[in-house]
């Protein structure tokens, strides 16, 4: 993998550095790429649609569409696949030794998961998780928040024969939403998981 990737004419405007290739950073980098001298820094060479991750866990082929190489939507600018380790008032420093000067800085680091660096390795990770689900007779999910509920539902839809147990210590599932929606969620799960 080339790092950094150079593409297009490099831009002639102000030096803009965007840190973080999640939803916010990727969208900003895509939008600014022809209007600035852009440097885009992310520890991964791909953007991942976060709300597709649980579907991708039960259906790895889905990840083919939800993992997008940064260079597939960026035609102009410079991509550095590395972690930012320090920021001064004029420069950004990366773990692989880049020192990038900026006029404008966008910090869109959201939260940091230790995800594989390459898209291909992330796809393999989904494949491995999926094989574990396929091989399991029963599956225990701890936590009845959005992730636990969604994962339980995704498994129940694709693997109706599996015994799925959801453990939750709250008074109801998805406590942050309206109780009626919470009840409906529980009813749906009961009909699919505890037939
Ligand atoms: C399973 C799941 C389902 C979700 N469903 C929804 C939904 O339905 N609707 C909704 O609105 N929201 C949903 N969300 C929340 C939504 O995904 C987040 O609000 C959104 O991802 C935040 O975007 P972000 O770009 O700020 O941060 P993130 O997506 O967290 O991206 C941060 C990026 O910064 C990079 N980064 C971190 N540290 C560094 C560093 N030091 N140097 C360089 N790069 C760094 C990371 O690698 C990452 O690429 C969901 C989240 C998950 C996990």
């Amino acid at each position: 993998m080339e790092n950094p990737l150079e593409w297009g004419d490099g831009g002639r405007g102000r030096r803009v550095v965007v840190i973080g290739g999640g939803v916010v950073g990727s969208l900003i980098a895509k939008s600014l790429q022809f209007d600035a001298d852009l440097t885009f820094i992310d520890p991964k060479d791909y953007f991942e649609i976060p709300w597709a991750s649980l579907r991708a866990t039960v259906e790895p082929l889905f990840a083919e569409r939800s993992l997008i190489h940064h260079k597939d939507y960026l035609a102009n600018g410079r991509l550095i696949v590395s972690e930012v380790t320090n920021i001064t008032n004029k420069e950004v420093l990366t773990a692989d030794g880049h020192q990038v000067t900026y006029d404008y800085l966008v910090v869109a680091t959201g939260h940091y998961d230790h995800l594989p660096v390459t898209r291909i390795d992330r796809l393999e990770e989904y494949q491995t998780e999926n094989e574990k689900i396929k091989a399991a007779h029963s599956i225990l999910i701890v936590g009845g928040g959005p992730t636990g509920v969604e994962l339980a539902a995704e498994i129940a839809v694709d693997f109706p024969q599996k015994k799925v147990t959801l453990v939750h210590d709250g008074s109801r599932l998805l406590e942050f939403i309206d109780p009626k929606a919470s009840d409906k969620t529980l009813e749906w799960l009961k009909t699919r998981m505890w037939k």
Side-chain angles (χ1 to χ4, degrees):
M1 182 179 52
E2 286 176 51
N3 184 15
L5 294 166
E6 302 273 1
W7 66 93
D9 64 10
R12 286 182 208 90
R14 294 296 176 99
R15 293 164 299 185
V16 177
V17 174
V18 177
I19 308 173
V23 178
V24 174
S26 299
L27 186 61
I28 291 176
K30 182 175 185 290
S31 308
L32 289 182
Q33 61 182 314
F34 298 109
D35 299 312
D37 175 352
L38 174 73
T39 302
F40 182 41
I41 309 174
D42 190 47
K44 318 172 264 83
D45 72 3
Y46 58 91
F47 163 68
E48 171 160 9
I49 300 171
W51 43 89
S53 65
L54 299 171
R55 171 92 312 244
T57 304
V58 298
E59 184 192 346
L61 273 182
F62 196 75
E64 296 277 353
R65 286 183 285 147
S66 60
L67 302 180
I68 302 157
H69 272 127
H70 291 312
K71 61 183 166 64
D72 287 348
Y73 60 90
L74 289 170
N76 197 41
R78 180 182 192 223
L79 171 66
I80 297 176
V81 180
S82 184
E83 192 178 326
V84 168
T85 51
N86 197 13
I87 299 171
T88 70
N89 59 8
K90 56 178 183 182
E91 275 179 348
V92 170
L93 311 177
T94 66
D96 66 351
H98 285 90
Q99 236 172 298
V100 190
T101 308
Y102 64 85
D103 298 306
Y104 296 93
L105 178 65
V106 177
V107 180
T109 46
H111 71 287
Y112 188 68
D113 285 335
H114 285 278
L115 294 175
V117 172
T118 66
R119 180 178 181 273
I120 192 93
D121 286 347
R122 182 64 168 144
L123 287 170
E124 269 181 39
E125 198 172 73
Y126 276 120
Q127 195 64 48
T128 306
E129 284 304 303
N130 184 258
E131 277 156 20
K132 283 190 210 160
I133 293 174
K134 277 188 187 153
H137 170 66
S138 61
I139 296 164
L140 173 67
I141 298 172
V142 180
T147 303
V149 165
E150 189 182 330
L151 183 60
E154 294 287 16
I155 294 172
V157 168
D158 280 36
F159 301 97
Q161 74 285 8
K162 306 271 180 213
K163 180 176 178 238
V164 181
T165 306
L166 182 61
V167 178
H168 182 55
D169 71 350
S171 55
R172 59 186 175 87
L173 294 174
L174 303 173
E175 283 157 297
F176 66 97
I177 60 169
D178 187 87
K180 271 202 272 183
S182 184
D183 291 346
K184 199 162 180 175
T185 302
L186 181 60
E187 283 313 306
W188 189 93
L189 286 173
K190 276 182 178 169
T191 60
R192 304 300 282 253
M193 290 167 50
W194 298 291
K195 303 181 271 221

